[in-house]
Amino acid sequence: MITLLPVPGLPEIGAGDDLGALVADAIEVRDGDIVVVTSKVVSKALGLRADSTESTDRPALALRESRRVVAERMTSTGGVTRVVEALAGPVMAGAGIDASNADDDHLLLLPHDPDAAAQEVLDSLRAATGVGGLAVILSDTAGRPWRAGLVDFALGTAGLRALDDLRGHADAAGRDLAVTVRNLADELAAAADLVKGKLDRVPVAIVRGMPDLVAEVPAVDLVRSGPEDWFALGRAEAVRDALGVPAGSQLSQDVGIESVHPETIADRAARALRVASSAERAPSAARAGTTRRASSITARGEAVVIRLEDADPVRLGHTWARVEVALAGERLGADATRDGTTVEIVVRPTRR
Amino acid sequence: MITLLPVPGLPEIGAGDDLGALVADAIEVRDGDIVVVTSKVVSKALGLRADSTESTDRPALALRESRRVVAERMTSTGGVTRVVEALAGPVMAGAGIDASNADDDHLLLLPHDPDAAAQEVLDSLRAATGVGGLAVILSDTAGRPWRAGLVDFALGTAGLRALDDLRGHADAAGRDLAVTVRNLADELAAAADLVKGKLDRVPVAIVRGMPDLVAEVPAVDLVRSGPEDWFALGRAEAVRDALGVPAGSQLSQDVGIESVHPETIADRAARALRVASSAERAPSAARAGTTRRASSITARGEAVVIRLEDADPVRLGHTWARVEVALAGERLGADATRDGTTVEIVVRPTRR
């Protein structure tokens, strides 16, 4: 049996507070306990607040707290919301910058080394209680691709067997469990959220009954990235990136970022044309002195028509293919006809 | 306080077994309990086994159990592993088809309506115990983008407030919690896995202490898809799709699928050339009768060089742009020079 215990009665946390001592005052911590602490209070204790200027421009702040942009969309207020690989490690929306439950108008930032922050809490908890066999998880909240709703996950760990590697073991029927590595840290963080509850100001919970997971092991990297990450970019971002418009760049902003709300075919087609044209390194004609080229986008009845004209036929073909790819990236289809140095592309609402 | 209780002592489950009655025999179920059942035993009880022929071709079976393919890679054994939107609902590897812990060589399939299967277990549990205030979760195991290791999630639910919508509530500081919808079903499934344990043949667990979540509400769709899904395709698949090579298609197989293992630049460049060429609808020249075109790929010292030749300059430019995009999709760069009706592309290992 495992029990999930909320740690109630903690005071409002401020910069410089000793979290371990406060937890020790609030509840009796026992050998084998796993203490799950909401990253928000750790950020508060560490004083990780953005200053007033930074706090007014949240998208810029999120970019600064990021390694790279995975996906980006325009919001209804004209801002940009981004899913990024945060300096704190995980891929998450807005670099995990937090406004809710802050005690003033300053935004809270995540620690850049969450494992070290977890170790600090563990050290202070041990000093305050004299109990050695403990583990600490910093938990944070995130959405995930393909699933509705948010869940908690492990941002940092200390003293925890975070990944349970069952490879090499056999299952009950004697078959090898070839690829079963459990992310127990994420499961523990999710479980702890069930008793913490966002509205109840209970930022800490204890998982009791899994002493086997408490072990002095080096923290394992729970983030999957690099070539093993099949989803390193969003769908739209992968296509734009392949056309030379990386997410998070000034160019991306200039050509226009897809909205979170539905857009007209004309708007999406116009953006596709900008994506295709703007990042194109003119393949040859510019050097040869032949610079006459033009493109236009017009409505023809219900349809949207893109017209490309170029005195250089190679460049014409080059732009044509890029427009087709960019349209496909917008989930739009294309029917094209060519007449001399002109290509006319009729945009279809869906791809064939 | 919440307690997580394993349900030990269950017999091996076979087709036709009454899971609710078996659980009622093994443990005292109380009002307000949430019973988490591993989908594997539900599939066994429902007799959802593939027949012998199907079981020998797992990739084909997984495709049949899928709505669409999100990402695909070649494995070391020459097979294909795919992340798909399963007929059972969620996006997962191999459509959730299970070989481990099966009692013979037949593969286990997921129920196509997991909520209905959960409801069946709930009905039988109520009938066997006489307890009305219960909820059931069917849990399954999956990896996720960006995170290491597997966790359990909720495949189906019955009698459960699966999503906790906090929108409209204020946080402790009085701010609106604008976008906080909790996926409690996934958090409960993850928590239950901590006591179930894959090796211990404990396929059922009870979460006790959250009676508020037990409510006669219609099961909510926990799967996020459609335009809201920014990650509807993998990075490589998004680019290939935009070039006319959809994941899961025969064409995708023909031009070659990326391997899970590292590949040489020459192999990746050759695949990019095949992707760019094979799905190209020849823009004009074929109709005009001008068909002379050729492409080749060669090594030049350390470098890989793609050479395109086409009597039709528009088509030359068209193919050129498609090759550049396909190379970018392989995370390769390109430096091109043009000479009359020939384009030479020197492939770079990384993009600028």
Side-chain angles (χ1 to χ4, degrees):
Chain A
M1 188 179 84
I2 296 170
T3 54
L4 309 173
L5 301 156
V7 179
L10 289 174
E12 187 70 38
I13 306 297
D17 281 353
D18 183 338
L19 277 175
L22 292 172
V23 170
D25 283 348
I27 198 168
E28 186 209 346
V29 176
R30 296 188 201 161
D31 207 71
D33 280 356
I34 299 166
V35 181
V36 183
V37 184
T38 306
S39 67
K40 189 196 303 266
V41 297
V42 174
S43 292
K44 284 185 179 180
L46 295 173
L48 298 175
R49 301 187 328 166
D51 66 35
S52 323
T53 326
E54 294 171 326
S55 292
T56 58
D57 188 356
R58 191 162 167 163
L61 185 61
L63 269 183
R64 207 199 66 190
E65 292 290 307
S66 304
R67 244 175 230 114
R68 62 185 193 86
V69 174
V70 170
E72 56 186 0
R73 293 292 183 281
M74 300 298 299
T75 63
S76 44
T77 57
V80 184
T81 181
R82 293 192 172 93
V83 175
V84 302
E85 188 179 324
L87 293 179
V91 174
M92 54 200 310
I97 292 170
D98 199 342
S100 70
N101 272 325
D103 49 357
D104 53 29
D105 287 333
H106 297 281
L107 296 171
L108 277 177
L109 310 177
L110 292 180
H112 291 179
D113 186 346
D115 285 339
Q119 187 64 52
E120 262 188 64
V121 176
L122 178 57
D123 290 344
S124 75
L125 203 51
R126 282 176 175 158
T129 61
V131 179
L134 300 173
V136 166
I137 296 176
L138 296 198
S139 70
D140 207 341
T141 306
R144 303 145 295 165
W146 318 324
R147 301 293 290 168
L150 310 177
V151 299
D152 271 17
F153 70 97
L155 181 72
T157 66
L160 183 79
R161 192 152 61 82
L163 289 180
D164 192 19
D165 193 341
L166 299 174
R167 286 176 295 189
H169 290 71
D171 68 15
R175 287 179 191 76
D176 273 355
L177 292 170
V179 290
T180 304
V181 179
R182 283 275 168 179
N183 187 324
L184 295 172
D186 280 356
E187 292 194 335
L188 288 161
D193 180 59
L194 295 170
V195 285
K196 285 193 302 180
K198 200 165 181 67
L199 295 173
D200 303 319
R201 208 192 281 252
V202 179
V204 180
I206 289 176
V207 182
R208 184 165 289 166
M210 305 197 75
D212 289 357
L213 298 187
V214 178
E216 271 307 322
V217 287
V220 187
D221 195 352
L222 300 176
V223 179
R224 184 168 52 186
S225 63
E228 279 184 32
D229 181 4
W230 301 4
F231 305 93
L233 290 172
R235 182 206 168 123
E237 288 73 16
V239 176
R240 288 161 65 102
D241 188 78
L243 288 165
V245 181
S249 65
Q250 185 57 48
L251 183 58
S252 177
Q253 202 124 6
D254 291 345
V255 298
I257 295 170
E258 190 173 336
S259 172
V260 292
H261 301 291
E263 298 172 288
T264 65
I265 292 175
D267 284 345
R268 287 156 63 204
R271 185 170 50 227
L273 180 57
R274 287 194 301 274
V275 166
S277 311
S278 66
E280 186 174 38
R281 280 176 296 169
S284 58
R287 281 181 297 235
T290 316
T291 55
R292 188 171 62 76
R293 68 190 297 204
S295 65
S296 66
I297 180 161
T298 51
R300 184 186 296 166
E302 304 274 287
V304 173
V305 179
I306 293 174
R307 207 181 140 86
L308 306 173
E309 221 184 315
D310 202 320
D312 178 346
V314 175
R315 195 171 60 181
L316 177 67
H318 194 268
T319 308
W320 177 3
R322 288 175 58 86
V323 170
E324 284 173 345
V325 169
L327 286 170
E330 295 275 350
R331 285 159 288 126
L332 297 170
D335 289 312
T337 49
R338 169 190 172 188
D339 183 9
T341 58
T342 302
V343 168
E344 202 174 80
I345 301 169
V346 180
V347 178
R348 280 182 284 105
T350 48
R351 303 183 58 208
R352 261 177 211 146
Chain B
M1 188 178 86
I2 296 170
T3 54
L4 309 173
L5 301 158
V7 178
L10 290 173
E12 188 69 39
I13 307 298
D17 281 353
D18 183 337
L19 276 176
L22 292 172
V23 170
D25 282 348
I27 198 167
E28 185 208 348
V29 176
R30 297 188 198 159
D31 207 71
D33 280 355
I34 300 166
V35 181
V36 184
V37 184
T38 306
S39 67
K40 189 195 304 265
V41 297
V42 174
S43 292
K44 284 185 179 180
L46 294 173
L48 298 175
R49 300 187 329 165
D51 68 31
S52 321
T53 326
E54 293 170 325
S55 292
T56 57
D57 189 356
R58 189 162 171 167
L61 186 61
L63 269 184
R64 207 199 66 192
E65 293 288 310
S66 304
R67 248 179 226 110
R68 63 185 190 85
V69 174
V70 171
E72 56 186 359
R73 295 289 184 283
M74 300 299 299
T75 63
S76 45
T77 56
V80 184
T81 181
R82 292 192 173 92
V83 175
V84 303
E85 187 178 324
L87 293 179
V91 174
M92 54 200 310
I97 293 169
D98 200 341
S100 69
N101 273 324
D103 49 356
D104 53 27
D105 287 334
H106 297 280
L107 295 172
L108 278 176
L109 309 178
L110 292 180
H112 292 179
D113 187 346
D115 285 338
Q119 186 65 51
E120 262 188 66
V121 175
L122 178 57
D123 291 344
S124 75
L125 203 50
R126 282 174 174 157
T129 62
V131 179
L134 300 173
V136 166
I137 296 175
L138 296 199
S139 70
D140 207 341
T141 306
R144 303 146 294 164
W146 318 324
R147 300 293 290 168
L150 310 176
V151 298
D152 271 18
F153 70 98
L155 181 71
T157 65
L160 183 78
R161 191 151 63 80
L163 288 180
D164 191 19
D165 193 340
L166 300 173
R167 286 176 294 188
H169 290 70
D171 68 16
R175 288 179 190 76
D176 274 355
L177 292 170
V179 290
T180 304
V181 179
R182 283 275 166 177
N183 188 322
L184 294 172
D186 280 356
E187 292 195 333
L188 288 161
D193 180 59
L194 295 171
V195 284
K196 285 192 301 180
K198 201 166 183 67
L199 295 172
D200 304 319
R201 209 191 280 252
V202 179
V204 180
I206 289 177
V207 181
R208 185 165 290 165
M210 305 197 77
D212 290 356
L213 297 187
V214 178
E216 270 308 321
V217 288
V220 186
D221 195 351
L222 300 176
V223 179
R224 183 167 54 185
S225 62
E228 279 183 32
D229 181 3
W230 301 5
F231 305 93
L233 290 173
R235 180 204 169 127
E237 288 73 16
V239 175
R240 288 161 65 103
D241 188 78
L243 288 165
V245 180
S249 66
Q250 185 58 48
L251 183 58
S252 177
Q253 203 124 9
D254 291 345
V255 298
I257 294 170
E258 190 174 336
S259 171
V260 292
H261 301 289
E263 298 172 288
T264 65
I265 292 175
D267 285 346
R268 288 155 64 205
R271 185 169 53 226
L273 179 58
R274 287 195 301 275
V275 165
S277 311
S278 66
E280 186 174 38
R281 282 176 295 170
S284 60
R287 282 181 298 237
T290 316
T291 54
R292 189 172 61 77
R293 68 188 300 204
S295 64
S296 65
I297 180 163
T298 51
R300 184 186 296 166
E302 304 274 289
V304 173
V305 178
I306 294 175
R307 207 181 140 88
L308 307 173
E309 220 183 315
D310 203 320
D312 178 344
V314 175
R315 195 172 60 182
L316 177 67
H318 194 269
T319 309
W320 177 3
R322 288 175 58 86
V323 170
E324 285 173 345
V325 169
L327 286 170
E330 296 274 352
R331 287 159 288 125
L332 297 171
D335 290 310
T337 48
R338 168 189 173 189
D339 183 10
T341 58
T342 303
V343 167
E344 202 175 80
I345 301 170
V346 180
V347 179
R348 278 182 286 105
T350 48
R351 302 184 58 212
R352 260 175 212 149

